[in-house]
Amino acid sequence: MPGWLNQLAKRCRAADNLSEMVTGQRGLVVLDQRRSPEQCRPLLSLAGKRDFVTLFAGTPLSPLLEAGPWLLDIEVGSEAWHCAEKLCQQRLGWVCQPPADQNLQSIADHLRALFVLDDPHGGKSLINLQQPSAWTALLASVPASVYSHWLNPLDRVATPTPLGQWSIWQADAPTSPAPERWQLTADMEAALKESQQAWWLSERTGKHLSALPDQWVKRLGKCAQYGITKGRHLARLLTAIQQADEDSWQRIEDTLSVPHLSAKQRTTEVEKTYDNR
């Protein structure tokens, strides 16, 4: 399996709910409100919501402020908390419960440093860390020496999973100085590219992210490379992605690479290729 998926079992553990978050104390929620503003907006007026900031405020991303993610301070166990929990399980965010020496502003500043990272190509990449799939991939693929620096100020982090559970992440205190600048490695970049595909495969097959075969993820990536990205098309190819032997899959790739075909036409041709193997 891809390295970052293999790391999941080492860095986090599964939980059926958020009972590990201490009721009555504060929890922080990172919310991707842009994807569903009509669902997220009522959260601001619910009992238990203490404060919130927009994470793009005061950063080079401030022109995107209205579309930017929120960071909310919410009382664990409150009406607002249960609402936020449901929103997160719709792939709209994740939660943490930081230590007492951290506040809303310090956590906001910590996260703001992660939205734009130097990439392996000499440029900069925008990181959608408000999305659970992306944040999960980053936490699983970041080098161990950096992982503790990223996670330690947040203390206990919980990310939703494709199968309705939660992944609980926690790191020991850093043992080395923090790098002057955070940056993407090639492995982190690859994990981000695979994260959406892995999430979709987990939902469709019922397999935990950490149990997904490397071959399935790579094959789904090939489909996306050739323009097959819609769920209804990918669903038609799922059996081939899971079951095709190497020779059959090579013929499928040859079909995928035929120029001037639409995604629908490619999907139909691949089905014919696999059915006639």
Side-chain angles (χ1 to χ4, degrees):
M1 66 183 71
W4 70 277
L5 291 173
N6 189 44
Q7 279 289 96
L8 287 172
K10 300 176 182 178
R11 290 187 174 175
C12 65
R13 51 191 169 77
D16 290 331
N17 52 54
L18 294 180
S19 60
E20 294 189 32
M21 303 293 177
V22 181
T23 300
Q25 295 187 15
R26 63 175 184 148
L28 299 187
V29 180
V30 175
L31 206 57
D32 188 9
Q33 60 84 28
R34 175 191 61 84
R35 292 181 55 213
S36 189
E38 70 284 352
Q39 284 186 282
C40 296
R41 198 173 296 113
L43 176 59
L44 299 180
S45 59
L46 293 181
K49 181 238 120 185
R50 296 175 172 176
D51 200 359
F52 90 108
V53 296
T54 52
L55 283 171
F56 287 174
T59 76
L61 297 172
S62 57
L64 305 175
L65 191 62
E66 291 188 5
W70 294 344
L71 178 66
L72 301 103
D73 185 335
I74 298 177
E75 180 183 337
V76 177
S78 67
E79 181 184 11
W81 178 259
H82 292 306
C83 177
E85 184 177 351
K86 292 177 182 177
L87 291 172
C88 289
Q89 290 178 319
Q90 296 174 43
R91 294 182 65 182
L92 293 175
W94 49 272
V95 307
C96 67
Q97 194 160 40
D101 62 350
Q102 299 288 337
N103 56 39
L104 185 69
Q105 194 58 53
S106 67
I107 296 298
D109 290 341
H110 177 68
L111 295 176
R112 283 167 178 155
L114 304 179
F115 278 107
V116 178
L117 298 179
D118 294 338
D119 62 36
H121 315 290
K124 294 183 180 294
S125 292
L126 175 63
I127 310 299
N128 293 315
L129 63 84
Q130 69 273 24
Q131 296 178 3
S133 56
W135 185 228
T136 295
L138 282 175
L139 290 180
S141 61
V142 68
S145 59
V146 177
Y147 174 74
S148 58
H149 287 288
W150 279 18
L151 215 58
N152 194 252
L154 308 176
D155 197 18
R156 186 179 289 112
V157 169
T159 55
T161 73
L163 302 183
Q165 295 177 306
W166 295 83
S167 294
I168 308 297
W169 308 74
Q170 202 159 12
D172 296 329
T175 57
S176 60
E180 289 186 9
R181 295 181 65 86
W182 306 125
Q183 59 185 15
L184 283 181
T185 65
D187 287 343
M188 292 164 67
E189 187 176 55
L192 284 171
K193 290 179 179 178
E194 292 175 344
S195 61
Q196 299 285 348
Q197 295 147 8
W199 196 283
W200 185 86
L201 278 169
S202 179
E203 286 182 324
R204 295 293 302 200
T205 65
K207 282 186 172 291
H208 293 286
L209 287 171
S210 58
L212 287 175
D214 177 33
Q215 188 181 60
W216 294 6
V217 179
K218 299 301 182 188
R219 288 177 173 181
L220 194 64
K222 281 291 183 181
C223 293
Q225 179 182 328
Y226 291 109
I228 302 176
T229 57
K230 293 184 178 179
R232 66 177 183 273
H233 295 150
L234 293 171
R236 291 165 57 188
L237 302 181
L238 186 57
T239 298
I241 288 169
Q242 293 179 275
Q243 298 180 6
D245 58 33
E246 289 303 317
D247 289 340
S248 296
W249 186 257
Q250 185 56 59
R251 290 193 293 274
I252 288 171
E253 282 201 35
D254 292 341
T255 302
L256 287 173
S257 63
V258 174
H260 312 306
L261 295 180
S262 67
K264 182 178 180 181
Q265 289 171 324
R266 291 181 199 273
T267 302
T268 300
E269 291 303 313
V270 168
E271 285 182 309
K272 291 178 182 177
T273 299
Y274 186 65
D275 289 343
N276 294 330
R277 66 195 185 282

